[in-house]
Amino acid sequence: MSNLMCGLLTSFLIVVAQGIPCLDSSDWEVKVRDEMKNCDWVAENPYPLRCKIKGTDKKRANASCRLACNTCSCSNSKTWRFQKKNTRLKKCNWIGEKPGRCNKVGQDNTTAKNSCKLACGKCIKDPTPTSSPTDKPTAGPTSFSTDT
């Protein structure tokens, strides 16, 4: 099984375990040399650069093309908030619109780059399954068997 297929299978298992849908957005696109590209283009060569690209909607590919970038287990905090005096509360989606905002400190005293990992492009790839057992435990599943 190829590394891409193993990665996709791992992402699928994480989704099943967490109950979170993990799909590539059909709306995300970016203009490259006067041509519009989508998540299929990102999947052709996701790392190190394509998953960090911002689309026309100002969202990074790693947030909109989660299968392509293998970031299904990465998410933004649902409770993190930032507020300047006399302004409305801002959430992680606002942070993701401008890279400089990732250094903002929220009401809980954590930085956006730590609490809004998906919005700030700080997601790491989900672990790629290994073909043999590892010496140390891993954070998530690393293999899948269809044997029953």
PDB file of all heavy atoms in Angstrom, residues 4 12 14 19 27 40 42-43 47 69-70 73 84 88 91 111 131 144 146 148:
ATOM      1  N   LEU A   4       0.582   7.427   0.465  1.00  0.00           N
ATOM      2  CA  LEU A   4      -0.608   8.271   0.340  1.00  0.00           C
ATOM      3  C   LEU A   4      -1.850   7.504   0.771  1.00  0.00           C
ATOM      4  O   LEU A   4      -2.664   8.001   1.536  1.00  0.00           O
ATOM      5  CB  LEU A   4      -0.761   8.795  -1.089  1.00  0.00           C
ATOM      6  CG  LEU A   4      -2.016   9.622  -1.347  1.00  0.00           C
ATOM      7  CD1 LEU A   4      -2.024  10.872  -0.474  1.00  0.00           C
ATOM      8  CD2 LEU A   4      -2.121   9.996  -2.810  1.00  0.00           C
ATOM      9  N   PHE A  12      -8.980   8.484   7.653  1.00  0.00           N
ATOM     10  CA  PHE A  12     -10.331   7.944   7.689  1.00  0.00           C
ATOM     11  C   PHE A  12     -10.619   7.309   9.051  1.00  0.00           C
ATOM     12  O   PHE A  12     -11.675   7.521   9.640  1.00  0.00           O
ATOM     13  CB  PHE A  12     -10.526   6.913   6.575  1.00  0.00           C
ATOM     14  CG  PHE A  12     -11.850   6.212   6.642  1.00  0.00           C
ATOM     15  CD1 PHE A  12     -13.008   6.852   6.231  1.00  0.00           C
ATOM     16  CD2 PHE A  12     -11.944   4.920   7.138  1.00  0.00           C
ATOM     17  CE1 PHE A  12     -14.237   6.218   6.311  1.00  0.00           C
ATOM     18  CE2 PHE A  12     -13.157   4.279   7.216  1.00  0.00           C
ATOM     19  CZ  PHE A  12     -14.310   4.929   6.795  1.00  0.00           C
ATOM     20  N   ILE A  14      -9.223   8.005  11.917  1.00  0.00           N
ATOM     21  CA  ILE A  14      -9.326   9.074  12.911  1.00  0.00           C
ATOM     22  C   ILE A  14     -10.712   9.702  12.841  1.00  0.00           C
ATOM     23  O   ILE A  14     -11.346   9.961  13.857  1.00  0.00           O
ATOM     24  CB  ILE A  14      -8.220  10.127  12.703  1.00  0.00           C
ATOM     25  CG1 ILE A  14      -6.865   9.532  13.071  1.00  0.00           C
ATOM     26  CG2 ILE A  14      -8.495  11.386  13.517  1.00  0.00           C
ATOM     27  CD1 ILE A  14      -5.679  10.370  12.649  1.00  0.00           C
ATOM     28  N   GLY A  19     -15.688  10.907  14.882  1.00  0.00           N
ATOM     29  CA  GLY A  19     -16.990  11.296  14.378  1.00  0.00           C
ATOM     30  C   GLY A  19     -16.983  12.639  13.670  1.00  0.00           C
ATOM     31  O   GLY A  19     -18.003  13.294  13.544  1.00  0.00           O
ATOM     32  N   ASP A  27     -15.134  23.919  -2.729  1.00  0.00           N
ATOM     33  CA  ASP A  27     -15.134  25.350  -3.038  1.00  0.00           C
ATOM     34  C   ASP A  27     -13.753  26.004  -2.979  1.00  0.00           C
ATOM     35  O   ASP A  27     -13.551  27.074  -3.530  1.00  0.00           O
ATOM     36  CB  ASP A  27     -16.049  26.108  -2.070  1.00  0.00           C
ATOM     37  CG  ASP A  27     -17.483  25.642  -2.161  1.00  0.00           C
ATOM     38  OD1 ASP A  27     -17.908  25.236  -3.256  1.00  0.00           O
ATOM     39  OD2 ASP A  27     -18.175  25.673  -1.133  1.00  0.00           O
ATOM     40  N   ASP A  40      -7.449  18.977  -5.450  1.00  0.00           N
ATOM     41  CA  ASP A  40      -6.806  17.903  -6.221  1.00  0.00           C
ATOM     42  C   ASP A  40      -5.375  18.300  -6.577  1.00  0.00           C
ATOM     43  O   ASP A  40      -4.461  17.480  -6.530  1.00  0.00           O
ATOM     44  CB  ASP A  40      -7.594  17.595  -7.495  1.00  0.00           C
ATOM     45  CG  ASP A  40      -8.947  16.969  -7.192  1.00  0.00           C
ATOM     46  OD1 ASP A  40      -9.110  16.369  -6.114  1.00  0.00           O
ATOM     47  OD2 ASP A  40      -9.837  17.088  -8.050  1.00  0.00           O
ATOM     48  N   VAL A  42      -3.527  20.398  -4.845  1.00  0.00           N
ATOM     49  CA  VAL A  42      -2.772  20.360  -3.591  1.00  0.00           C
ATOM     50  C   VAL A  42      -2.328  18.926  -3.309  1.00  0.00           C
ATOM     51  O   VAL A  42      -1.187  18.676  -2.935  1.00  0.00           O
ATOM     52  CB  VAL A  42      -3.608  20.908  -2.413  1.00  0.00           C
ATOM     53  CG1 VAL A  42      -2.902  20.690  -1.082  1.00  0.00           C
ATOM     54  CG2 VAL A  42      -3.922  22.385  -2.616  1.00  0.00           C
ATOM     55  N   ALA A  43      -3.213  17.957  -3.522  1.00  0.00           N
ATOM     56  CA  ALA A  43      -2.921  16.555  -3.221  1.00  0.00           C
ATOM     57  C   ALA A  43      -1.781  15.993  -4.061  1.00  0.00           C
ATOM     58  O   ALA A  43      -1.098  15.058  -3.640  1.00  0.00           O
ATOM     59  CB  ALA A  43      -4.178  15.709  -3.421  1.00  0.00           C
ATOM     60  N   TYR A  47       3.203  18.673   0.459  1.00  0.00           N
ATOM     61  CA  TYR A  47       4.231  19.234   1.342  1.00  0.00           C
ATOM     62  C   TYR A  47       5.513  19.423   0.569  1.00  0.00           C
ATOM     63  O   TYR A  47       5.810  18.659  -0.326  1.00  0.00           O
ATOM     64  CB  TYR A  47       4.457  18.322   2.558  1.00  0.00           C
ATOM     65  CG  TYR A  47       3.326  18.427   3.528  1.00  0.00           C
ATOM     66  CD1 TYR A  47       2.275  17.539   3.495  1.00  0.00           C
ATOM     67  CD2 TYR A  47       3.290  19.454   4.455  1.00  0.00           C
ATOM     68  CE1 TYR A  47       1.209  17.665   4.373  1.00  0.00           C
ATOM     69  CE2 TYR A  47       2.228  19.587   5.332  1.00  0.00           C
ATOM     70  CZ  TYR A  47       1.206  18.693   5.283  1.00  0.00           C
ATOM     71  OH  TYR A  47       0.161  18.823   6.155  1.00  0.00           O
ATOM     72  N   CYS A  69      -4.051  17.257   2.550  1.00  0.00           N
ATOM     73  CA  CYS A  69      -2.928  17.649   3.416  1.00  0.00           C
ATOM     74  C   CYS A  69      -2.751  16.715   4.605  1.00  0.00           C
ATOM     75  O   CYS A  69      -1.827  16.885   5.393  1.00  0.00           O
ATOM     76  CB  CYS A  69      -3.131  19.088   3.896  1.00  0.00           C
ATOM     77  SG  CYS A  69      -3.000  20.288   2.569  1.00  0.00           S
ATOM     78  N   ASN A  70      -3.637  15.741   4.743  1.00  0.00           N
ATOM     79  CA  ASN A  70      -3.543  14.757   5.816  1.00  0.00           C
ATOM     80  C   ASN A  70      -3.544  15.435   7.188  1.00  0.00           C
ATOM     81  O   ASN A  70      -2.737  15.122   8.058  1.00  0.00           O
ATOM     82  CB  ASN A  70      -2.292  13.891   5.625  1.00  0.00           C
ATOM     83  CG  ASN A  70      -2.402  12.564   6.339  1.00  0.00           C
ATOM     84  OD1 ASN A  70      -3.489  12.125   6.690  1.00  0.00           O
ATOM     85  ND2 ASN A  70      -1.289  11.923   6.569  1.00  0.00           N
ATOM     86  N   SER A  73      -6.814  15.257  11.854  1.00  0.00           N
ATOM     87  CA  SER A  73      -6.868  15.270  13.318  1.00  0.00           C
ATOM     88  C   SER A  73      -6.514  16.641  13.894  1.00  0.00           C
ATOM     89  O   SER A  73      -6.523  16.831  15.105  1.00  0.00           O
ATOM     90  CB  SER A  73      -5.933  14.209  13.904  1.00  0.00           C
ATOM     91  OG  SER A  73      -4.597  14.496  13.584  1.00  0.00           O
ATOM     92  N   LYS A  84     -10.052  43.128  21.336  1.00  0.00           N
ATOM     93  CA  LYS A  84      -9.474  44.438  21.637  1.00  0.00           C
ATOM     94  C   LYS A  84     -10.550  45.234  22.354  1.00  0.00           C
ATOM     95  O   LYS A  84     -11.739  44.941  22.236  1.00  0.00           O
ATOM     96  CB  LYS A  84      -9.106  45.177  20.342  1.00  0.00           C
ATOM     97  CG  LYS A  84      -7.818  44.756  19.730  1.00  0.00           C
ATOM     98  CD  LYS A  84      -7.523  45.682  18.552  1.00  0.00           C
ATOM     99  CE  LYS A  84      -6.176  45.425  17.967  1.00  0.00           C
ATOM    100  NZ  LYS A  84      -5.897  46.315  16.844  1.00  0.00           N
ATOM    101  N   ARG A  88     -15.721  43.546  18.897  1.00  0.00           N
ATOM    102  CA  ARG A  88     -16.384  42.249  19.056  1.00  0.00           C
ATOM    103  C   ARG A  88     -15.357  41.151  19.297  1.00  0.00           C
ATOM    104  O   ARG A  88     -14.205  41.254  18.878  1.00  0.00           O
ATOM    105  CB  ARG A  88     -17.185  41.919  17.797  1.00  0.00           C
ATOM    106  CG  ARG A  88     -18.339  42.906  17.584  1.00  0.00           C
ATOM    107  CD  ARG A  88     -19.099  42.592  16.327  1.00  0.00           C
ATOM    108  NE  ARG A  88     -19.773  41.309  16.500  1.00  0.00           N
ATOM    109  CZ  ARG A  88     -20.359  40.640  15.532  1.00  0.00           C
ATOM    110  NH1 ARG A  88     -20.368  41.118  14.302  1.00  0.00           N
ATOM    111  NH2 ARG A  88     -20.951  39.504  15.758  1.00  0.00           N
ATOM    112  N   LYS A  91     -12.745  34.942  16.787  1.00  0.00           N
ATOM    113  CA  LYS A  91     -12.458  33.521  16.927  1.00  0.00           C
ATOM    114  C   LYS A  91     -11.317  33.129  15.989  1.00  0.00           C
ATOM    115  O   LYS A  91     -10.772  33.968  15.280  1.00  0.00           O
ATOM    116  CB  LYS A  91     -13.709  32.705  16.590  1.00  0.00           C
ATOM    117  CG  LYS A  91     -14.885  32.977  17.502  1.00  0.00           C
ATOM    118  CD  LYS A  91     -16.075  32.155  17.078  1.00  0.00           C
ATOM    119  CE  LYS A  91     -17.308  32.473  17.907  1.00  0.00           C
ATOM    120  NZ  LYS A  91     -18.473  31.715  17.452  1.00  0.00           N
ATOM    121  N   THR A 111      -1.625  31.821  23.012  1.00  0.00           N
ATOM    122  CA  THR A 111      -1.489  32.473  21.703  1.00  0.00           C
ATOM    123  C   THR A 111      -2.351  31.762  20.679  1.00  0.00           C
ATOM    124  O   THR A 111      -2.645  30.566  20.803  1.00  0.00           O
ATOM    125  CB  THR A 111      -0.024  32.463  21.218  1.00  0.00           C
ATOM    126  OG1 THR A 111       0.408  31.106  21.108  1.00  0.00           O
ATOM    127  CG2 THR A 111       0.886  33.252  22.135  1.00  0.00           C
ATOM    128  N   SER A 131       4.902  -0.061   8.303  1.00  0.00           N
ATOM    129  CA  SER A 131       4.658  -1.431   7.845  1.00  0.00           C
ATOM    130  C   SER A 131       4.947  -2.455   8.938  1.00  0.00           C
ATOM    131  O   SER A 131       4.537  -3.600   8.847  1.00  0.00           O
ATOM    132  CB  SER A 131       5.494  -1.730   6.607  1.00  0.00           C
ATOM    133  OG  SER A 131       6.863  -1.544   6.900  1.00  0.00           O
ATOM    134  N   PHE A 144      -3.546  -0.528   9.938  1.00  0.00           N
ATOM    135  CA  PHE A 144      -4.912  -0.981   9.845  1.00  0.00           C
ATOM    136  C   PHE A 144      -4.909  -2.325   9.159  1.00  0.00           C
ATOM    137  O   PHE A 144      -4.222  -2.516   8.155  1.00  0.00           O
ATOM    138  CB  PHE A 144      -5.740   0.033   9.043  1.00  0.00           C
ATOM    139  CG  PHE A 144      -7.151  -0.430   8.778  1.00  0.00           C
ATOM    140  CD1 PHE A 144      -8.101  -0.373   9.787  1.00  0.00           C
ATOM    141  CD2 PHE A 144      -7.520  -0.909   7.559  1.00  0.00           C
ATOM    142  CE1 PHE A 144      -9.380  -0.777   9.561  1.00  0.00           C
ATOM    143  CE2 PHE A 144      -8.813  -1.329   7.320  1.00  0.00           C
ATOM    144  CZ  PHE A 144      -9.749  -1.267   8.319  1.00  0.00           C
ATOM    145  N   THR A 146      -7.324  -5.494   7.599  1.00  0.00           N
ATOM    146  CA  THR A 146      -8.669  -5.915   7.222  1.00  0.00           C
ATOM    147  C   THR A 146      -8.933  -7.332   7.656  1.00  0.00           C
ATOM    148  O   THR A 146     -10.025  -7.856   7.462  1.00  0.00           O
ATOM    149  CB  THR A 146      -8.875  -5.780   5.702  1.00  0.00           C
ATOM    150  OG1 THR A 146      -7.878  -6.566   5.034  1.00  0.00           O
ATOM    151  CG2 THR A 146      -8.795  -4.343   5.272  1.00  0.00           C
ATOM    152  N   THR A 148      -9.914 -10.336   9.997  1.00  0.00           N
ATOM    153  CA  THR A 148     -10.812 -10.426  11.149  1.00  0.00           C
ATOM    154  C   THR A 148     -10.569 -11.685  11.931  1.00  0.00           C
ATOM    155  O   THR A 148      -9.982 -12.597  11.505  1.00  0.00           O
ATOM    156  CB  THR A 148     -12.286 -10.397  10.705  1.00  0.00           C
ATOM    157  OG1 THR A 148     -12.498 -11.407   9.733  1.00  0.00           O
ATOM    158  CG2 THR A 148     -12.637  -9.048  10.180  1.00  0.00           C
TER     159      THR A 148
END
